[in-house]
Amino acid sequence: MGKSSFRACLLTLASPVRVFLFGVKRKFITSLIQVEIKMTDNNLGSKLMTAEEAVSKFIKNGDQLALGGFTVNRNPMLLAREIIKQGIEDLHVVCHSHGQALDLLVGAGCVSYLEIAYGGMGRFAPTCIRFRKAVCSGLIKIDDYSNYQMSLRFLGGAMGLPFMVTKSGLETDLVKIDGFSKEDRGKRKIAKKKLEIARNPFGAENDTVVLLPSLNPDVSIIHAQYVGEDGTVRIRGLTFADLEQANSASRVIVTCEEILSRSEIRKDPDQNSLPPFLIDAVVKAPIAAHPTACHHFYDYDPTHLRMYADMARDDGKFQRYLKEWVYDIPDQETYIEKVGLSRLAEIKADPILGYAPGLNRK
Amino acid sequence: MTGYSKLEMMAVAAGRFIADGDVVFAGTGISMLAATVAKRIHAPNSVVFFETGGIDPSLDELPMAVADPRVMAGASMNSGLIESFSLLSNRRLRTIAFLGAAQIDRYGNLNSTCLGDYRNPTIRFPGSGGACDAASLASGFIIFMEHEKKRFVNKLDYFTSPGWLNGDDSREKAGFSRGGPVAVVTNLGIMAFHPTTKEMILSQHYPGVSPEDVSNNTGFELDLSRTSEVLPPTELELKTLRDKVDPQRLILS
């Protein structure tokens, strides 16, 4: 907490007056505005890095990793590809409903343990293909929860609570069957117990509830539309459980479409999602959620997702996909080039609607 | 307009369960059609929301997943999962959920997780997602199924989402204060649940389908004594479905 509070202090110091004093002290003979820009540049400075730097600095083998986004939307794809490229393995992934980034990470062999509610990509892959193969062939250890349960577990972690409570799932196999072995329980970041059925202390004699262990992932990775030069994160459209995930994690990496000036992002704080002192790394990377959607920037890419589904069904073709779209891509510029301008024009979002109207999604 | 597909019949039949003012927790696919056709015809004040947090979007184009950016456009508000499941559980609201599954038993309990042993499955499905939450917490839910013996089973391979549990008052006794399955809409007809035993019964069969056809495709005994033929889709219902709800034929095709 010490580090965070220190950063919080710095944040409050960043008022124009303080900035002005700071500027005078540093003998900047320049206008207040220029000093402010300089100051904010410095603020993001150490956190602004490439995907390669962010992943190597903040993600290591065996980490518990929370994946932001939801099935076809705002998956942190660039970071997922970078994790694969760096050969990070033995990850313990925690998520609610996930799609493309999960499938890629599982398919590339980066994941050992998975706590999840849903693995699917809409009509392109009703069940994620590499995920299904990995589960059926025992390549990963999996434990199932529901979406609400997983979201509550992140919220519990964010609130500093040991567990959360719900009525969801009573009597079902979600609460009766533990996907992890007794030997695995209590090790790493795996909860001692999957959950606990308890008597409701405020209810009738036999009224029961489900207690869910909170989650505090090592790392949370998120793709957002905007980050301010001060580090403030702004997500447009649905936030899913990204905020709970970021608030519960020890480290947070954010990729973003655009970086806004400090004054721009603070003009309308109502629209902002996460404060700067929770963010450890910011990667400026347009199209970093492709082939999933990023509200108001681009739609999901049906052509790419169909191609992926086709290639993922075959082990050899999947390896070719990884080579072509992950290993052989040195940086995001090359990736964008490979996707191509005509495809990007096809999926470009309408500024009002937020998606690409009339896009062929069949 | 005499001809109509089974899918259109199912969408219309399910839509008729939605009352004006209902707050509908929708999935994608056929449930989108049902919710939207109801809203455009007899339930203009019903509201559709998604587990991802999209509340009352305009749905000018049909979303193909609950995280499709189309669930965010023209919405009353865009929130997140915690907010949407809180709405689902809100005591003031009559929340109706649409769910699909791979297997269903006679009490409307659902499996959307796997076939075979959970730790060594023969087939893996996507998993609960929000289905278990909706089945647990909504005021009621409607299930879409392909009517096949292998799907209407005596025992689920995995029990993902709670229906009437073991029938009678077992759901209430287990700690669920409301909800439960209202109907199962299939390609052959509409099943309901006996008011006291909570066992599945045939409520309505589609034109051209006999009650025996339904029974022959069900893996457990189905009470056929109360069934009647369903009213086919009206011209208005079909026209709305084809011209307004899914003109791109994303689901109807």
Side-chain angles (χ1 to χ4, degrees):
Chain A
M1 267 327 275
K3 206 171 170 187
S4 298
S5 333
F6 178 61
R7 285 189 196 149
C9 285
L10 274 185
L11 184 75
T12 55
L13 286 176
S15 68
V17 176
R18 291 291 186 161
V19 171
F20 178 71
L21 290 175
F22 186 70
V24 168
K25 201 172 168 188
R26 297 279 293 266
K27 297 193 172 37
F28 283 126
I29 307 171
T30 170
S31 79
L32 185 65
I33 292 166
Q34 280 169 317
V35 172
E36 189 174 358
I37 288 167
K38 183 75 189 158
M39 171 75 181
T40 55
D41 275 346
N42 283 345
N43 272 359
L44 197 50
S46 60
K47 292 182 188 175
L48 188 64
M49 55 186 85
T50 63
E52 192 181 350
E53 289 165 338
V55 168
S56 71
K57 193 165 176 191
F58 293 110
I59 306 181
K60 57 182 193 309
N61 291 347
D63 270 353
Q64 191 182 62
L65 175 73
L67 291 180
F70 194 109
T71 62
V72 300
N73 213 307
R74 263 192 323 93
N75 284 208
M77 294 307 302
L78 169 63
L79 294 174
R81 290 193 296 268
E82 189 55 42
I83 289 170
I84 295 169
K85 271 160 71 178
Q86 294 192 18
I88 292 174
E89 52 189 23
D90 193 28
L91 290 173
H92 174 180
V93 169
V94 285
C95 56
H96 38 72
S97 287
H98 222 279
Q100 198 64 9
L102 169 80
D103 208 47
L104 212 52
L105 286 170
V106 167
C110 304
V111 181
S112 298
Y113 294 87
L114 178 62
E115 295 182 54
I116 191 171
Y118 189 92
M121 277 299 286
R123 61 188 294 147
F124 305 108
T127 304
C128 282
I129 296 162
R130 301 310 300 189
F131 156 81
R132 166 181 274 178
K133 280 179 188 275
V135 174
C136 289
S137 55
L139 289 174
I140 56 171
K141 294 177 179 176
I142 182 171
D143 196 20
D144 275 77
Y145 289 87
S146 71
N147 272 346
Y148 193 27
Q149 290 173 341
M150 286 306 289
S151 303
L152 285 170
R153 297 181 65 199
F154 289 118
L155 180 61
M159 292 165 74
L161 294 173
F163 59 84
M164 294 294 274
V165 58
T166 183
K167 285 267 190 185
S168 182
L170 284 167
E171 297 296 321
T172 68
D173 285 343
L174 282 179
V175 306
K176 289 187 173 168
I177 297 182
D178 185 349
F180 293 157
S181 67
K182 272 188 190 135
E183 295 72 50
D184 282 333
R185 285 284 166 202
K187 287 196 186 136
R188 306 162 57 122
K189 283 218 163 192
I190 297 168
K192 259 192 208 162
K193 282 182 175 180
K194 172 171 182 157
L195 43 74
E196 180 78 23
I197 302 299
R199 202 189 134 244
N200 169 11
F202 306 104
E205 188 74 24
N206 53 0
D207 192 33
T208 53
V209 292
V210 183
L211 308 185
L212 301 158
S214 296
L215 283 165
N216 287 105
D218 294 307
V219 198
S220 146
I221 59 175
I222 289 173
H223 182 69
Q225 283 85 350
Y226 304 105
V227 175
E229 279 182 331
D230 63 345
T232 298
V233 176
R234 177 178 295 178
I235 293 174
R236 292 202 65 188
L238 302 175
T239 50
F240 309 121
D242 286 10
L243 311 185
E244 290 78 10
Q245 290 176 2
N247 282 316
S248 65
S250 306
R251 306 186 287 278
V252 181
I253 307 176
V254 183
T255 55
C256 67
E257 295 292 326
E258 282 182 18
I259 292 187
L260 300 179
S261 70
R262 180 181 194 276
S263 57
E264 184 64 30
I265 204 141
R266 291 192 175 225
K267 209 185 279 171
D268 195 0
D270 299 6
Q271 305 305 316
N272 295 342
S273 315
L274 292 165
F277 47 84
L278 289 177
I279 312 303
D280 298 273
V282 176
V283 180
K284 189 189 175 198
I287 324 290
H290 178 273
T292 69
C294 183
H295 197 48
H296 283 289
F297 279 81
Y298 43 91
D299 218 317
Y300 45 83
D301 183 345
T303 314
H304 189 104
L305 291 174
R306 275 192 301 268
M307 174 192 73
Y308 175 83
D310 175 57
M311 295 181 86
R313 278 189 198 99
D314 179 90
D315 290 352
K317 281 188 187 170
F318 180 70
Q319 288 310 318
R320 213 172 73 218
Y321 180 93
L322 285 180
K323 179 172 159 31
E324 256 180 57
W325 289 92
V326 181
Y327 293 115
D328 285 357
I329 306 279
D331 49 36
Q332 184 65 359
E333 287 72 20
T334 315
Y335 183 88
I336 293 171
E337 240 171 68
K338 188 165 169 65
V339 174
L341 276 184
S342 65
R343 182 71 57 75
L344 290 175
E346 231 173 81
I347 61 172
K348 187 175 166 40
D350 175 275
I352 308 290
L353 295 169
Y355 58 86
L359 176 66
N360 180 8
R361 294 180 287 144
K362 280 189 179 172
Chain B
M1 205 178 285
T2 47
Y4 56 89
S5 69
K6 281 279 160 64
L7 198 62
E8 288 170 329
M9 178 73 250
M10 289 171 75
V12 165
R16 290 173 185 161
F17 282 98
I18 297 174
D20 205 17
D22 278 357
V23 178
V24 182
F25 179 94
T28 48
I30 190 169
S31 79
M32 265 325 320
L33 299 181
T36 321
V37 81
K39 189 173 171 70
R40 289 188 191 260
I41 296 179
H42 65 270
N45 297 308
S46 63
V47 173
V48 175
F49 77 111
F50 295 86
E51 62 187 286
T52 44
I55 298 161
D56 198 19
S58 57
L59 299 177
D60 298 319
E61 283 193 12
L62 283 177
M64 62 118 225
V66 294
D68 192 308
R70 285 153 192 80
V71 310
M72 310 178 193
S76 155
M77 64 181 285
N78 284 330
S79 57
L81 273 75
I82 291 286
E83 292 82 359
S84 101
F85 286 113
S86 305
L87 266 190
L88 177 80
S89 319
N90 192 309
R91 301 282 134 177
R92 280 182 67 174
L93 308 173
R94 194 178 106 102
T95 51
I96 296 293
F98 283 118
L99 304 175
Q103 289 182 323
I104 186 168
D105 72 11
R106 72 179 69 228
Y107 297 113
N109 302 307
L110 306 175
N111 172 15
S112 56
T113 303
C114 64
L115 294 185
D117 177 53
Y118 174 73
R119 288 199 189 193
N120 186 20
T122 50
I123 300 184
R124 171 72 204 201
F125 301 117
S128 159
C132 169
D133 309 309
S136 297
L137 304 169
S139 313
F141 62 98
I142 292 158
I143 306 143
F144 288 109
M145 295 288 296
E146 279 292 312
H147 213 129
E148 295 174 304
K149 259 193 173 156
K150 63 172 185 185
R151 292 175 181 272
F152 283 69
V153 296
N154 262 314
K155 189 171 176 358
L156 304 174
D157 285 30
Y158 183 94
F159 179 8
T160 315
S161 305
W164 295 113
L165 302 184
N166 302 312
D168 299 319
D169 58 353
S170 58
R171 182 179 167 99
E172 200 187 330
K173 275 192 176 154
F176 294 113
S177 55
R178 68 174 187 180
V182 177
V184 189
V185 176
T186 78
N187 50 318
L188 299 179
I190 300 165
M191 318 309 119
F193 295 88
H194 187 278
T196 52
T197 67
K198 305 296 185 192
E199 273 189 74
M200 199 185 289
I201 58 175
L202 179 60
S203 169
Q204 291 182 299
H205 51 282
Y206 297 152
V209 175
S210 73
E212 289 70 29
D213 290 337
V214 183
S215 171
N216 289 339
N217 285 285
T218 306
F220 47 83
E221 206 180 317
L222 196 62
D223 180 354
L224 307 176
S225 66
R226 304 162 191 234
T227 183
S228 60
E229 192 169 284
V230 74
L231 176 73
T234 64
E235 205 164 307
L236 174 68
E237 284 170 328
L238 280 180
K239 205 171 155 42
T240 308
L241 200 54
R242 291 170 185 173
D243 299 349
K244 303 262 176 63
V245 176
D246 189 14
Q248 291 179 299
R249 298 289 184 272
L250 283 173
I251 300 164
L252 286 176
S253 67

